[in-house]
Amino acid sequence: MNPPTVLVTGATGTVGSALIPALQAHGVTVRAMIRDPARPVPGVENVVADLADAAAVAAALDGVDAAFLNGPSTPDAAALQIGFADLAHAEGLPRLVLLSQYAANPDSAVRFLRWHAEVEAHVRGLGLDHTVLRPNLYLQSLRAFAGTIAQGWFGAPVGGAAVSVVDARDVADAAAVVLTGAGHTGAVYTLTGPRAVTHAEIAAALSSAAGRDIAFHDTSAAEFSAALAGLLPPWQLDGLVEDYAHYARGEAATVYTSVADLTGRPARDVADFARDHAALFTRS
């Protein structure tokens, strides 16, 4: 028999780029859905499709055994994901794995969490064989602070609140298990690291790995917004500020064992991430 084929949306993104080798390690055939034909993923089948293009998405879904749905960073992300799910249902997709977010809730003060909850509810209503993954804040988000970290600091409006941050590689490994194994229908897995850490503790881990002092500066939401103005569209910046207010309220500190339960090994700690990415945070 031929190995199963898994469609990965967002194939060049933070999770997608880690998911593809994880799936290959499970012996499946990967079909990478990309938007830019000039950036193909090596070693796999590539299909050029945008979630807004129903015909292209339907073609990408043709003949696959499972799909990983990761929404784009756009203000209509929920609608685009819902459209994909509808097409998947119409095409008879055997399994859908939906990447959501920690604490997704229709009543959340955070727009992104409301959007994710809307997509989750729609997928449940379709009756698809599906699984939901809800990762917490990615450690890989620290790469966005590389510029100031090179100067010895980074800042965010989070105070001393602890967050059970997760490594995106663990999210990918967990997704690979769910996409290729049985027994996950209807499950919702919240994915976190092995402990909740403050941003000051993250700074200490980066300092140890980089061999120099890197400090964390607590900033106000206004200062944070001003620093990022022009780098992100207003809707995304406002949503990011809402995300950090959610973290600062201590609403993202619970630790879950889903990564270990699914993969059979402990989730990566912030110290592991810092060591593995030390070159990013070491001043040249």
Side-chain angles (χ1 to χ4, degrees):
M1 292 179 62
N2 293 327
T5 299
V6 176
L7 175 67
V8 177
T9 70
T12 59
T14 299
V15 175
S17 59
L19 175 57
I20 288 172
L23 285 169
Q24 290 175 314
H26 283 265
V28 304
T29 298
V30 177
R31 180 179 295 174
M33 190 167 126
I34 60 173
R35 287 185 292 176
D36 185 355
R39 294 179 60 201
V41 178
V44 301
E45 177 189 357
N46 287 264
V47 293
V48 179
D50 188 290
L51 288 181
D53 186 339
V57 169
L61 284 164
D62 184 43
V64 302
D65 300 287
F68 177 74
L69 177 56
N70 181 7
S73 295
T74 60
D76 59 347
L80 291 173
Q81 288 179 292
I82 286 171
F84 182 98
D86 286 342
L87 285 168
H89 182 253
E91 294 289 324
L93 178 73
R95 176 177 299 174
L96 177 69
V97 174
L98 173 65
L99 188 67
S100 183
Q101 188 175 341
Y102 181 108
N105 189 303
D107 300 318
S108 176
V110 182
R111 69 193 66 190
F112 301 145
L113 300 184
R114 295 194 300 271
W115 296 355
H116 282 297
E118 179 185 358
V119 178
E120 288 186 22
H122 186 83
V123 170
R124 280 195 301 272
L126 289 174
L128 273 169
D129 182 326
H130 75 283
T131 306
V132 175
L133 302 180
R134 292 180 176 174
N136 206 347
L137 175 64
Y138 297 147
L139 282 164
Q140 278 74 8
S141 65
L142 290 165
R143 295 185 301 205
F145 299 101
T148 62
I149 289 175
Q151 302 170 38
W153 67 278
F154 67 103
V158 68
V163 182
S164 54
V165 288
V166 66
D167 195 304
R169 294 172 295 177
D170 287 331
V171 177
D173 289 343
V177 170
V178 172
L179 284 159
T180 59
H184 307 290
T185 299
V188 178
Y189 296 114
T190 299
L191 306 177
T192 73
R195 61 187 174 117
V197 293
T198 66
H199 276 55
E201 290 172 323
I202 292 173
L206 296 179
S207 298
S208 178
R212 62 187 181 88
D213 288 339
I214 298 170
F216 168 68
H217 296 169
D218 184 36
T219 65
S220 69
E223 291 169 331
F224 189 67
S225 294
L228 294 174
L231 300 177
L232 297 174
W235 69 268
Q236 192 172 20
L237 179 54
D238 291 344
L240 187 61
V241 170
E242 292 169 0
D243 261 339
Y244 271 95
H246 159 69
Y247 304 141
R249 290 191 295 267
E251 296 171 354
T254 303
V255 173
Y256 292 80
T257 62
S258 298
V259 169
D261 295 340
L262 290 168
T263 67
R265 57 159 183 77
R268 292 174 175 88
D269 187 72
V270 61
D272 301 318
F273 170 84
R275 182 190 63 247
D276 294 345
H277 295 80
L280 291 175
F281 308 113
T282 303
R283 185 184 294 129
S284 57

